[in-house]
Amino acid sequence: MAQDRPDIPTALKRTILVEAGHRCAIPTCRQTPVELAHITPWSKIKEHTFDNLIALCPTYHTRFDRDDIDRKSMLQYKQNLEVLNGRYTDVERQVLKVYARILG
């Protein structure tokens, strides 16, 4: 980890891991162990947030970092976890879709 980048707080790590069931968030993978990845790179936002972190196995984390998997796909995987966990209502999910399109 870079010296100027603080560690992800333990409580936030736990929340991200629980969200994904302590497995890779890619539905066809679901491997363990997992690493936490920033959906929008740390270098651009300089903060650790729930909405921008996702649990990935080392293979998919590497593929995401190499741009083999694009950011829009990763946002969809994150959204899938939100739906599976019942975190948002249908209206909230629609707003998030619009927001994702604007950012995409």
Side-chain angles (χ1 to χ4, degrees):
M1 182 154 323
Q3 290 178 349
D4 60 341
R5 180 168 139 179
D7 290 338
I8 298 169
T10 302
L12 181 55
K13 283 183 191 178
R14 183 181 310 108
T15 302
I16 299 300
L17 292 171
V18 167
E19 174 190 46
H22 286 75
R23 296 186 176 278
C24 183
I26 308 294
T28 56
C29 178
R30 308 297 287 155
Q31 293 295 310
T32 61
V34 294
E35 304 167 348
L36 299 187
H38 289 86
I39 298 169
T40 299
W42 165 266
S43 60
K44 290 186 179 182
I45 60 169
K46 305 267 190 232
E47 65 179 339
H48 304 301
T49 63
F50 175 82
D51 293 332
N52 192 47
L53 289 166
I54 192 165
L56 298 174
C57 70
T59 300
Y60 278 103
H61 193 174
T62 298
R63 290 186 65 203
F64 179 52
D65 286 348
R66 286 192 322 226
D67 291 326
D68 292 343
I69 302 170
D70 67 5
R71 186 171 159 272
K72 281 187 178 184
S73 296
M74 205 54 66
L75 288 168
Q76 184 64 56
Y77 292 131
K78 180 71 173 186
Q79 184 179 23
N80 291 349
L81 291 171
E82 294 164 352
V83 171
L84 287 173
N85 292 315
R87 182 159 196 257
Y88 297 105
T89 65
D90 289 337
V91 172
E92 289 170 320
R93 283 192 291 275
Q94 292 301 320
V95 170
L96 288 170
K97 281 183 185 179
V98 170
Y99 184 66
R101 267 188 251 130
I102 291 169
L103 291 177

Short mmCIF file of all heavy atoms in Angstrom, two decimals, residues 56-80:
data_model
loop_
_atom_site.label_atom_id
_atom_site.label_comp_id
_atom_site.label_asym_id
_atom_site.label_seq_id
_atom_site.Cartn_x
_atom_site.Cartn_y
_atom_site.Cartn_z
N LEU A 56 -13.10 -8.61 -4.47
CA LEU A 56 -12.73 -9.37 -5.67
C LEU A 56 -11.64 -10.38 -5.32
O LEU A 56 -10.78 -10.09 -4.49
CB LEU A 56 -12.19 -8.45 -6.76
CG LEU A 56 -13.13 -7.39 -7.32
CD1 LEU A 56 -12.38 -6.47 -8.28
CD2 LEU A 56 -14.33 -8.02 -8.00
N CYS A 57 -11.66 -11.53 -5.98
CA CYS A 57 -10.55 -12.47 -5.82
C CYS A 57 -9.33 -11.85 -6.50
O CYS A 57 -9.45 -10.92 -7.31
CB CYS A 57 -10.90 -13.82 -6.44
SG CYS A 57 -10.99 -13.82 -8.25
N PRO A 58 -8.13 -12.32 -6.17
CA PRO A 58 -6.93 -11.73 -6.77
C PRO A 58 -6.95 -11.75 -8.31
O PRO A 58 -6.48 -10.80 -8.95
CB PRO A 58 -5.80 -12.59 -6.21
CG PRO A 58 -6.31 -13.07 -4.89
CD PRO A 58 -7.80 -13.31 -5.13
N THR A 59 -7.50 -12.80 -8.90
CA THR A 59 -7.54 -12.89 -10.37
C THR A 59 -8.38 -11.77 -10.97
O THR A 59 -7.94 -11.05 -11.88
CB THR A 59 -8.08 -14.26 -10.81
OG1 THR A 59 -7.22 -15.28 -10.29
CG2 THR A 59 -8.17 -14.36 -12.33
N TYR A 60 -9.61 -11.59 -10.47
CA TYR A 60 -10.48 -10.56 -11.02
C TYR A 60 -10.00 -9.15 -10.64
O TYR A 60 -10.19 -8.21 -11.41
CB TYR A 60 -11.94 -10.77 -10.63
CG TYR A 60 -12.60 -11.78 -11.53
CD1 TYR A 60 -12.83 -13.07 -11.11
CD2 TYR A 60 -12.96 -11.43 -12.83
CE1 TYR A 60 -13.43 -14.00 -11.96
CE2 TYR A 60 -13.55 -12.35 -13.69
CZ TYR A 60 -13.78 -13.64 -13.24
OH TYR A 60 -14.37 -14.55 -14.09
N HIS A 61 -9.37 -9.02 -9.49
CA HIS A 61 -8.82 -7.72 -9.11
C HIS A 61 -7.73 -7.32 -10.11
O HIS A 61 -7.70 -6.18 -10.61
CB HIS A 61 -8.26 -7.78 -7.69
CG HIS A 61 -7.94 -6.45 -7.11
ND1 HIS A 61 -7.55 -6.30 -5.81
CD2 HIS A 61 -7.93 -5.19 -7.62
CE1 HIS A 61 -7.33 -5.02 -5.55
NE2 HIS A 61 -7.56 -4.32 -6.66
N THR A 62 -6.87 -8.25 -10.45
CA THR A 62 -5.82 -7.99 -11.43
C THR A 62 -6.42 -7.67 -12.80
O THR A 62 -6.00 -6.73 -13.48
CB THR A 62 -4.86 -9.19 -11.53
OG1 THR A 62 -4.25 -9.38 -10.26
CG2 THR A 62 -3.80 -8.97 -12.60
N ARG A 63 -7.41 -8.45 -13.21
CA ARG A 63 -8.06 -8.20 -14.50
C ARG A 63 -8.72 -6.83 -14.54
O ARG A 63 -8.65 -6.12 -15.55
CB ARG A 63 -9.08 -9.29 -14.81
CG ARG A 63 -8.44 -10.63 -15.11
CD ARG A 63 -9.44 -11.66 -15.55
NE ARG A 63 -10.02 -11.23 -16.83
CZ ARG A 63 -11.21 -11.65 -17.26
NH1 ARG A 63 -11.93 -12.48 -16.56
NH2 ARG A 63 -11.66 -11.22 -18.41
N PHE A 64 -9.35 -6.42 -13.43
CA PHE A 64 -9.97 -5.10 -13.35
C PHE A 64 -8.90 -4.01 -13.45
O PHE A 64 -9.04 -3.04 -14.20
CB PHE A 64 -10.78 -4.99 -12.07
CG PHE A 64 -11.44 -3.66 -11.87
CD1 PHE A 64 -12.24 -3.10 -12.85
CD2 PHE A 64 -11.29 -2.97 -10.67
CE1 PHE A 64 -12.86 -1.87 -12.67
CE2 PHE A 64 -11.91 -1.75 -10.47
CZ PHE A 64 -12.69 -1.19 -11.47
N ASP A 65 -7.81 -4.17 -12.71
CA ASP A 65 -6.72 -3.19 -12.75
C ASP A 65 -6.09 -3.07 -14.13
O ASP A 65 -5.60 -2.01 -14.50
CB ASP A 65 -5.64 -3.53 -11.72
CG ASP A 65 -6.06 -3.24 -10.29
OD1 ASP A 65 -7.09 -2.56 -10.08
OD2 ASP A 65 -5.37 -3.72 -9.36
N ARG A 66 -6.10 -4.16 -14.90
CA ARG A 66 -5.54 -4.15 -16.26
C ARG A 66 -6.56 -3.69 -17.30
O ARG A 66 -6.28 -3.68 -18.49
CB ARG A 66 -5.08 -5.56 -16.66
CG ARG A 66 -3.82 -6.02 -16.01
CD ARG A 66 -3.30 -7.28 -16.66
NE ARG A 66 -4.36 -8.20 -17.04
CZ ARG A 66 -4.37 -9.51 -16.82
NH1 ARG A 66 -3.35 -10.07 -16.22
NH2 ARG A 66 -5.38 -10.25 -17.21
N ASP A 67 -7.76 -3.33 -16.86
CA ASP A 67 -8.85 -2.90 -17.75
C ASP A 67 -9.41 -4.02 -18.61
O ASP A 67 -10.04 -3.76 -19.65
CB ASP A 67 -8.43 -1.71 -18.62
CG ASP A 67 -8.24 -0.44 -17.82
OD1 ASP A 67 -8.97 -0.24 -16.83
OD2 ASP A 67 -7.34 0.35 -18.18
N ASP A 68 -9.19 -5.27 -18.21
CA ASP A 68 -9.87 -6.39 -18.88
C ASP A 68 -11.36 -6.37 -18.54
O ASP A 68 -12.17 -6.90 -19.29
CB ASP A 68 -9.29 -7.74 -18.44
CG ASP A 68 -7.86 -7.95 -18.90
OD1 ASP A 68 -7.41 -7.24 -19.82
OD2 ASP A 68 -7.18 -8.83 -18.34
N ILE A 69 -11.69 -5.79 -17.40
CA ILE A 69 -13.07 -5.60 -16.96
C ILE A 69 -13.25 -4.10 -16.78
O ILE A 69 -12.48 -3.46 -16.07
CB ILE A 69 -13.35 -6.33 -15.63
CG1 ILE A 69 -13.05 -7.82 -15.76
CG2 ILE A 69 -14.79 -6.09 -15.18
CD1 ILE A 69 -13.06 -8.57 -14.45
N ASP A 70 -14.25 -3.53 -17.43
CA ASP A 70 -14.41 -2.08 -17.36
C ASP A 70 -15.15 -1.63 -16.10
O ASP A 70 -15.77 -2.42 -15.40
CB ASP A 70 -15.06 -1.53 -18.63
CG ASP A 70 -16.50 -1.96 -18.82
OD1 ASP A 70 -17.08 -2.62 -17.92
OD2 ASP A 70 -17.07 -1.62 -19.86
N ARG A 71 -15.09 -0.35 -15.84
CA ARG A 71 -15.68 0.23 -14.65
C ARG A 71 -17.20 0.09 -14.62
O ARG A 71 -17.80 -0.15 -13.59
CB ARG A 71 -15.28 1.71 -14.56
CG ARG A 71 -15.71 2.39 -13.29
CD ARG A 71 -15.06 3.79 -13.21
NE ARG A 71 -15.84 4.58 -12.30
CZ ARG A 71 -16.91 5.31 -12.64
NH1 ARG A 71 -17.31 5.37 -13.88
NH2 ARG A 71 -17.56 5.99 -11.74
N LYS A 72 -17.84 0.23 -15.79
CA LYS A 72 -19.30 0.07 -15.86
C LYS A 72 -19.71 -1.34 -15.42
O LYS A 72 -20.70 -1.51 -14.71
CB LYS A 72 -19.82 0.34 -17.27
CG LYS A 72 -19.94 1.79 -17.60
CD LYS A 72 -20.61 1.95 -18.95
CE LYS A 72 -20.79 3.40 -19.27
NZ LYS A 72 -21.51 3.59 -20.53
N SER A 73 -18.96 -2.33 -15.83
CA SER A 73 -19.25 -3.70 -15.41
C SER A 73 -19.10 -3.84 -13.90
O SER A 73 -19.93 -4.47 -13.23
CB SER A 73 -18.32 -4.70 -16.12
OG SER A 73 -18.54 -4.69 -17.50
N MET A 74 -18.04 -3.25 -13.36
CA MET A 74 -17.81 -3.35 -11.92
C MET A 74 -18.93 -2.65 -11.15
O MET A 74 -19.37 -3.14 -10.11
CB MET A 74 -16.44 -2.77 -11.57
CG MET A 74 -15.86 -3.32 -10.32
SD MET A 74 -15.74 -5.12 -10.22
CE MET A 74 -14.56 -5.51 -11.49
N LEU A 75 -19.41 -1.52 -11.65
CA LEU A 75 -20.54 -0.85 -11.02
C LEU A 75 -21.79 -1.73 -11.04
O LEU A 75 -22.57 -1.76 -10.09
CB LEU A 75 -20.83 0.50 -11.71
CG LEU A 75 -19.82 1.60 -11.45
CD1 LEU A 75 -20.04 2.77 -12.42
CD2 LEU A 75 -19.91 2.07 -10.00
N GLN A 76 -21.96 -2.47 -12.13
CA GLN A 76 -23.10 -3.39 -12.22
C GLN A 76 -22.97 -4.52 -11.21
O GLN A 76 -23.93 -4.91 -10.56
CB GLN A 76 -23.24 -3.95 -13.63
CG GLN A 76 -24.47 -4.84 -13.79
CD GLN A 76 -25.76 -4.06 -13.59
OE1 GLN A 76 -26.00 -3.06 -14.26
NE2 GLN A 76 -26.60 -4.50 -12.67
N TYR A 77 -21.76 -5.07 -11.05
CA TYR A 77 -21.54 -6.12 -10.05
C TYR A 77 -21.85 -5.59 -8.65
O TYR A 77 -22.46 -6.28 -7.83
CB TYR A 77 -20.11 -6.65 -10.10
CG TYR A 77 -19.80 -7.43 -11.36
CD1 TYR A 77 -18.66 -7.16 -12.10
CD2 TYR A 77 -20.65 -8.43 -11.82
CE1 TYR A 77 -18.37 -7.86 -13.25
CE2 TYR A 77 -20.38 -9.13 -12.98
CZ TYR A 77 -19.23 -8.85 -13.69
OH TYR A 77 -18.95 -9.55 -14.83
N LYS A 78 -21.44 -4.36 -8.37
CA LYS A 78 -21.73 -3.75 -7.07
C LYS A 78 -23.24 -3.59 -6.90
O LYS A 78 -23.79 -3.90 -5.84
CB LYS A 78 -21.01 -2.39 -6.96
CG LYS A 78 -21.23 -1.66 -5.67
CD LYS A 78 -20.53 -2.33 -4.51
CE LYS A 78 -20.65 -1.46 -3.25
NZ LYS A 78 -19.87 -2.00 -2.14
N GLN A 79 -23.90 -3.14 -7.95
CA GLN A 79 -25.36 -2.97 -7.89
C GLN A 79 -26.05 -4.31 -7.68
O GLN A 79 -27.02 -4.40 -6.93
CB GLN A 79 -25.87 -2.29 -9.16
CG GLN A 79 -27.35 -2.00 -9.11
CD GLN A 79 -27.83 -1.31 -10.35
OE1 GLN A 79 -27.23 -1.40 -11.41
NE2 GLN A 79 -28.93 -0.60 -10.23
N ASN A 80 -25.55 -5.36 -8.30
CA ASN A 80 -26.12 -6.68 -8.11
C ASN A 80 -26.08 -7.10 -6.65
O ASN A 80 -27.02 -7.70 -6.12
CB ASN A 80 -25.39 -7.73 -8.96
CG ASN A 80 -25.63 -7.56 -10.44
OD1 ASN A 80 -26.49 -6.81 -10.87
ND2 ASN A 80 -24.84 -8.24 -11.24
#
